[in-house]
Amino acid sequence: MDRRDFLRFTAVAPAVAILPRLAAAASEGRRLLILVELKGGNDGLNTVVPYADANYERLRPRLAIAREQVIALDERTGLHPSLEPMLATWKDGKLAVVQGLGYPDPNLSHFRSIEIWDTASKSDEYLDTGWLARALTRSPSPKGFAADGIVVGSADLGPLAGGTARTIALTNPDQFVRNARLAQGEGEGRNAALRHILKVESDVQQSARRIAARANSAPLFPRDPSAMPCAPRPSLPPTRRGVSAIRLTLAGFDTHANQLGLHATLLRQLGEGLAALRAALEEVGRWDDTLVATYSEFGRRPRGNQSNGTDHGTAGSPLRDGRRRARRDSSVPPRRWAASTATATCRTPSISGGTTRHSSRDGGKPTRRRCWARATKPCPARLIS
Amino acid sequence: VNRPAWHDPGPKTVLGKTGRFDGSEVLDILLARDETAEFVAGKLWREFVSSSPDAVEVRRLGAVFRDAKYEVKPVMRALLLSEAFWAPENRGALVKSPVELVVGMLRVFDVRPMDLRAAAIVCAVLGQNPFAPPNVKGWPGGEAWINSATLLGRKQAVERLLRNDDRAAPQAMPAMDMRAPAGSREERLRRAMERGLAAYQVDWARWTRAAPEGEKLQHLLLALEPAHEIPAAATGPERARRLAGDPVFQLK
């Protein structure tokens, strides 16, 4: 297995491995939300390509995806060729693309912008808890669920941080269960810090018991994606061990330089990962009540930079996948794609939250970036489905 | 390197003052304000006293800092002599950072590593890759250090370091497996941590000769009474292992 092969699959592999243990039951009417964070700021314009627009090739002479390679979704828009594994889902009418999704007064710093997304705050508002943690605090998961949320392969809990929600972070379910014996899970907390540690210990214990007690111990997914099972297995006995939300992270989307090959690899991981998730969800009978959604801290500027990359932009084009995808939106498509799929700003990335090392090289010449999309008003997000 | 062409020399307004400022003049504007010293005093409070700074005390400490022309020593002295620092309710009220946990363990158990790479990898697995904070804001710290993954990682690190085996301590890091390992970055790091910790070993015989016993051992290892009862039968290294496995060992 070469490096690309294993990279391709690992971002979702732990989630795929845990699904049969946790999501094998449409428990008590609770649906499943799977969030996929594309860390670094995914380039929405090369993910969902506005191939029919003359501006696209004009602004990206070296970065545009060739028209004949784009997987056309309609007469204006198409997917990056690496997202080919998503085509089946699209043809089933189970994939939606939200173009031009952003928030007012966008912040171009990675950490502040993802904080705004994760906490669902206003641009100038600072909140301590993630939006999902708040939602799950208000509407806790049914009793017997292994956890409210599971964060796979990321140190920070993002939208699941804070609050009283029970969130488990893990990289490998088996290892989690093995190590859970180290958590004692009881005791009296004399201060807030100790109470927090004891709560995490007891969450670990509860979750590990339920994750360990799975009905079917056969490995559901081989490492090699080409050996994916295609026939559904006999359905697992219904259980009540569920989970309300899962968050995965796919990193590396900060494509300031040499974007084309890098982005193609990343999107292939994403496409294959989402297809693998779908297969896993179908196998456990949860595809019908699951929503898979991607998000990213921002999109990237329409105009390519001097390093064959793109710099921080504002809006992106997240995907919604699953039978529970958002319904067709009635909002009017924007007149110009540029205004909505990635509203450019005049700010150079060097002033965005200390990311100077990301700034594009302009050959030392102080170029004044023309801001051709500035005059257009923010448009309602366009939803293709 | 100064590139005048990259600078905007026009007048700017910073916190109500307008002018053609250079970098150090902007710093002067910041340093002229009380909030700057109070901001730093608040950070010191969160590092040394508790996670909830006392507003009155932070103002007092900020004034000490500013009056001493931002000399660090006077404000540290005032902080460490404050009543809050010594108050019983602020004992063990803070979560150790991964660096504090790992370096603290190496010191208190008198491990003398030849190579600190494994210690750095452990810190990275526990969420604090030394000298590489996640962003310019730094590590969030406090209770955010502890989630299910990092807590189990901490406990695993404690268990591995304090393991009871008689093998002679290896002299250096075991050779790294150069084959591309399968798994995510997190998994590879975690395996590197397990391999690296195998190179560290407590010399229990040496440690036992110098170590205190009973109450004193507990005070050496824990800032508070343990959360779980330690059986009286557990003595020596076994008692130390149990105390270090207690949740209170994560606190400072």
Side-chain angles (χ1 to χ4, degrees):
Chain A
M1 179 186 279
D2 73 10
R3 184 178 154 75
R4 250 203 355 231
D5 271 342
F6 93 75
L7 265 183
R8 205 185 282 177
F9 210 54
T10 46
V12 298
V16 164
I18 207 166
L19 277 172
R21 307 182 188 198
L22 287 181
S27 307
E28 309 183 20
R30 168 113 355 181
R31 294 167 190 161
L32 175 63
L33 173 66
I34 301 182
L35 292 173
V36 182
E37 181 191 4
L38 308 179
K39 211 179 174 78
N42 179 38
D43 183 12
L45 290 177
N46 272 14
T47 306
V48 181
V49 180
Y51 66 90
D53 196 299
N55 282 327
Y56 177 63
E57 284 183 30
R58 183 173 66 78
L59 288 162
R60 298 191 157 189
R62 282 172 302 181
L63 290 177
I65 306 296
R67 213 172 165 132
E68 59 276 12
Q69 287 179 10
V70 171
I71 304 169
L73 300 180
D74 61 17
E75 67 286 356
R76 294 184 291 172
T77 328
L79 292 178
H80 187 287
S82 286
L83 290 176
E84 202 270 324
M86 301 299 300
L87 195 58
T89 310
W90 169 262
K91 284 185 174 152
D92 292 352
K94 303 293 183 290
L95 174 71
V97 176
V98 188
Q99 274 186 298
L101 193 63
Y103 53 86
D105 301 318
N107 190 304
L108 297 195
S109 136
H110 289 286
F111 75 86
R112 178 56 191 148
S113 194
I114 198 61
E115 203 170 88
I116 291 168
W117 275 93
D118 281 343
T119 61
S121 69
K122 291 180 188 136
S123 193
D124 58 353
E125 182 186 24
Y126 293 81
L127 300 177
D128 298 330
T129 53
W131 68 269
L132 252 178
R134 291 200 299 275
L136 290 166
T137 301
R138 268 198 308 278
S139 154
S141 303
K143 272 208 167 62
F145 265 36
D148 284 316
I150 293 196
V151 170
V152 178
S154 168
D156 77 284
L157 306 184
L160 284 155
T164 57
R166 282 197 298 126
T167 297
I168 294 300
L170 52 80
T171 47
N172 173 329
D174 293 318
Q175 186 231 343
F176 175 78
V177 170
R178 268 201 310 279
N179 280 342
R181 70 186 158 79
L182 297 170
Q184 285 151 308
E186 50 200 28
E188 162 213 5
R190 271 147 294 173
N191 60 45
L194 186 55
R195 276 192 294 276
H196 174 69
I197 293 174
L198 292 171
K199 174 181 182 295
V200 174
E201 290 210 356
S202 115
D203 289 353
V204 164
Q205 288 251 298
Q206 282 189 43
S207 304
R209 262 202 309 278
R210 290 170 183 151
I211 294 173
R214 61 169 165 165
N216 183 346
S217 62
L220 198 72
F221 274 84
R223 259 222 147 70
D224 178 7
S226 62
M228 200 81 74
C230 23
R233 288 170 189 228
S235 56
L236 301 169
T239 63
R240 290 186 165 196
R241 308 181 307 267
V243 62
S244 296
I246 299 177
R247 201 278 303 257
L248 318 172
T249 299
L250 193 52
F253 284 87
D254 200 15
T255 50
H256 285 284
N258 303 322
Q259 173 175 316
L260 270 182
L262 191 62
H263 198 234
T265 306
L266 289 165
L267 290 184
R268 195 162 49 242
Q269 289 175 40
L270 175 66
E272 284 173 1
L274 291 180
L277 269 182
R278 175 184 175 167
L281 287 163
E282 281 176 335
E283 193 166 341
V284 298
R286 290 301 302 274
W287 172 245
D288 285 355
D289 62 354
T290 299
L291 173 69
V292 184
T294 72
Y295 69 110
S296 193
E297 60 261 50
F298 36 62
R300 309 193 77 82
R301 297 156 51 91
R303 188 189 292 275
N305 66 22
Q306 305 287 314
S307 318
N308 292 327
T310 49
D311 300 330
H312 302 178
T314 53
S317 291
L319 309 174
R320 299 286 178 269
D321 169 16
R323 196 161 290 171
R324 286 278 164 205
R325 67 173 167 73
R327 283 211 315 272
R328 183 178 291 273
D329 194 274
S330 60
S331 67
V332 193
R335 269 199 309 248
R336 288 173 59 194
W337 63 266
S340 78
T341 44
T343 28
T345 66
C346 278
R347 285 215 268 164
T348 56
S350 54
I351 51 168
S352 61
T355 54
T356 38
R357 65 202 162 94
H358 292 149
S359 63
S360 67
R361 271 170 244 120
D362 281 340
K365 241 176 41 200
T367 48
R368 217 186 173 81
R369 294 212 166 90
R370 287 268 326 277
C371 184
W372 56 272
R374 184 173 45 168
T376 50
K377 283 199 193 122
C379 296
R382 175 183 173 220
L383 191 119
I384 317 170
S385 54
Chain B
V1 185
N2 184 20
R3 296 184 197 274
W6 287 25
H7 287 264
D8 176 356
K12 295 280 174 292
T13 303
V14 179
L15 294 168
K17 293 194 160 58
T18 305
R20 297 175 190 273
F21 304 118
D22 66 14
S24 51
E25 283 164 338
V26 172
L27 291 182
D28 287 341
I29 294 172
L30 296 181
L31 292 176
R33 299 177 69 104
D34 292 341
E35 297 98 303
T36 306
E38 285 166 17
F39 177 76
V40 176
K43 286 204 150 208
L44 290 173
W45 189 285
R46 283 194 195 84
E47 187 63 38
F48 291 98
V49 183
S50 78
S51 55
S52 45
D54 175 320
V56 176
E57 276 289 276
V58 165
R59 262 200 301 283
R60 178 179 76 84
L61 293 166
V64 171
F65 192 32
R66 212 186 135 187
D67 291 348
K69 295 195 182 303
Y70 296 98
E71 208 39 75
V72 175
K73 214 170 175 178
V75 67
M76 282 309 298
R77 187 180 166 78
L79 181 77
L80 298 181
L81 291 174
S82 68
E83 266 179 43
F85 178 80
W86 293 97
E89 65 268 24
N90 287 334
R91 277 192 76 82
L94 294 167
V95 176
K96 287 177 185 167
S97 70
V99 168
E100 285 167 333
L101 179 79
V102 171
V103 175
M105 274 201 298
L106 293 179
R107 290 187 68 105
V108 81
F109 289 104
D110 196 20
V111 179
R112 302 168 188 179
M114 310 265 292
D115 185 328
L116 282 171
R117 267 182 301 174
I121 291 172
V122 178
C123 292
V125 170
L126 302 183
Q128 189 178 29
N129 192 5
F131 307 111
N135 53 53
V136 290
K137 195 175 158 192
W139 290 280
E143 289 174 18
W145 285 127
I146 304 276
N147 64 37
S148 60
T150 57
L151 183 63
L152 290 182
R154 282 167 176 243
K155 298 220 159 197
Q156 202 189 359
V158 171
E159 195 193 40
R160 294 240 165 184
L161 183 73
L162 305 187
R163 71 193 177 277
N164 181 18
D165 66 13
D166 300 326
R167 284 181 296 121
Q171 290 305 298
M173 284 277 287
M176 287 283 185
D177 187 352
M178 296 313 287
R179 280 170 303 163
S184 61
R185 179 179 172 275
E186 283 79 12
E187 281 225 51
R188 279 173 290 152
L189 263 180
R190 186 183 52 75
R191 280 201 295 273
M193 160 175 126
E194 290 173 2
R195 278 200 307 274
L197 281 172
Y200 292 174
Q201 193 163 41
V202 179
D203 182 339
W204 287 110
R206 187 178 73 210
W207 188 82
T208 311
R209 280 197 297 278
E213 281 179 29
E215 281 275 285
K216 281 187 176 159
L217 177 62
Q218 182 182 315
H219 289 314
L220 176 70
L221 295 176
L222 301 185
L224 296 172
E225 289 286 310
H228 304 298
E229 205 177 322
I230 313 284
T235 56
E238 178 55 23
R239 191 166 195 86
R241 273 193 284 275
R242 284 178 181 255
L243 287 165
D246 193 275
V248 171
F249 189 65
Q250 307 299 329
L251 302 174
K252 61 174 181 179

